[in-house]
Every structure is written in C-alpha cells, then in structure tokens.
Amino acid sequence: GQNIDQPTEMTATEGAIVQINCTYQTSGFNGLFWYQQHAGEAPTFLSYNVLDGLEEKGRFSSFLSRSKGYSYLLLKELQMKDSASYLCAVRVEEDSSYKLIFGSGTRLLVRP
Amino acid sequence: DTAVSQTPKYLVTQMGNDKSIKCEQNLGHDTMYWYKQDSKKFLKIMFSYNNKELIINETVPNRFSPKSPDKAHLNLHINSLELGDSAVYFCASSQGGRGFQPQHFGDGTRLSIL
C-alpha cells in the first residue's frame, strides 16, 4: 500500500528554526511536494523535490532522500504567520496517470 | 484573477438530498481533481480528469458523479447525501504529465449534512 507519515503537531518559537519530517512507503514515486494550509483555507504549494538533496527557497528548504523514503521541510526565522498545517504529498505514477497521496499534515504552532 | 474557483463555499443540507459543487479554473491547465478533506484533515483524492477524460477514479461511492463539460470545468454531483459525506471538498488543477507540475487548489466547499 501507499503510506506517508508525518508528526501530528509541533510547536516552535518565533525566530527559531523548525524541521518537519516526512517518511513514505510508496510505489511509482515521481516527486515529493510540500504544501502549506492555514486553517479554513486552501493548501498552497511550497516546494518540490524529485532528486535527492536540498532545495532552498527563501526561508523554506526541503530535502529528499529517495533511498530512505524520507523528506523534511525546514523553516527558518519563524514568523507568527507560519502557524499552519504542513502537508507532505508524494506523487505516484499509476496506470500512466499521476496522483498525489497526502500525509495527514503536521500542525505547526509558532509562539511569541 | 487567475485561480481555481469553486462554488458554493458553504453547503448545508439534509440527509437524502442531491447537491452539486461547481469548479472552474482559468490557469490553462489540462488536468483537474476533486479531493475530500475529512475532520482529521486527511486530504484524499477522489477523481481526476485530463482534457475532459476521467483518468483517476478512487474507491468512491457511485453516489458521487463528476462531470467535465470542458477542460476548464469539473463539477461534482452527489446523490442521496449521507452524514459521512460531511467534509471539505477541494477542487484543484495542474498541467498533466511528468515533472514539476504543482496542483493549485480552490478555496474549498464546506459540506454539512444535517
């Protein structure tokens, strides 16, 4: 089966750094996405990894190790507005089409 | 504004009724999706259409019927609504194919069954 695990909740302090981990067991791997979802809003795209290594985009970075089935999202210089859920999603290829399988999300609370 | 827009934003109805949710995207994408997000915040794909053709149909009760009149629209009709259908339904779109193709989501339709 397809399975994605990430912690349910994390708490961090404004200005600090937080790392949100994601492990996956999937077949037909075709890339890993991170989405941010504020309460009551739509998920918005943050980052994409398809090759091993680190992708940096401003305060956010994402890392992928395909051999370990592991990714993390790193958030630096945390701001209060970063309080949200962070969804790890693996794109898999099935029957010549692609679909995203989402983890249950990590709810991040940033405290002053 | 370029976006994925879905209507209505809120839908409150009685068990047993039939309802529809509409979705439109003006991003020029060729692939559209319907997702269900339950109370535990699990976002799960239901359907996907590519150029009006159904390409993904997850294990969803046949009370749910998607319809794509053109590649910019994907509507969802639900018959005989049940309590367990209460959730947030998200429409999304992307360009199909391999590679970097992030999905763009609508704001969601909050469906509550009384």
Side-chain angles (χ1 to χ4, degrees), chain A residues 1 12 14 16 22 28 36-37 39 44-45 48 57 70 78-80 88-89 97 106 111-112:
Chain A
E14 193 176 14
C22 171
Q36 180 190 59
Q37 186 177 25
T44 54
F45 168 74
Y48 170 71
K57 196 193 273 189
Y70 168 68
L78 279 171
Q79 302 175 8
M80 299 298 289
C88 174
S97 64
T106 299
R111 290 193 167 138

Side-chain angles (χ1 to χ4, degrees), chain B residues 6-23:
Chain B
Q6 52 182 110
T7 55
K9 186 162 184 168
Y10 298 95
L11 190 49
V12 181
T13 190
Q14 302 269 6
M15 207 164 52
N17 283 351
D18 303 339
K19 289 293 177 186
S20 291
I21 308 172
K22 294 186 176 182
C23 180

Side-chain angles (χ1 to χ4, degrees), chain B residues 7-58:
Chain B
T7 55
K9 186 162 184 168
Y10 298 95
L11 190 49
V12 181
T13 190
Q14 302 269 6
M15 207 164 52
N17 283 351
D18 303 339
K19 289 293 177 186
S20 291
I21 308 172
K22 294 186 176 182
C23 180
E24 175 182 3
Q25 56 94 5
N26 60 6
L27 297 165
H29 292 157
D30 61 4
T31 307
M32 296 184 72
Y33 312 82
W34 276 111
Y35 287 87
K36 179 180 180 181
Q37 189 169 43
D38 60 23
S39 57
K40 295 182 180 176
K41 305 304 180 188
F42 238 118
L43 196 60
K44 194 167 188 322
I45 188 161
M46 301 171 69
F47 302 102
S48 175
Y49 273 72
N50 178 266
N51 282 317
K52 304 195 296 175
E53 181 184 344
L54 181 67
I55 56 170
I56 293 174
N57 185 351
E58 294 293 294

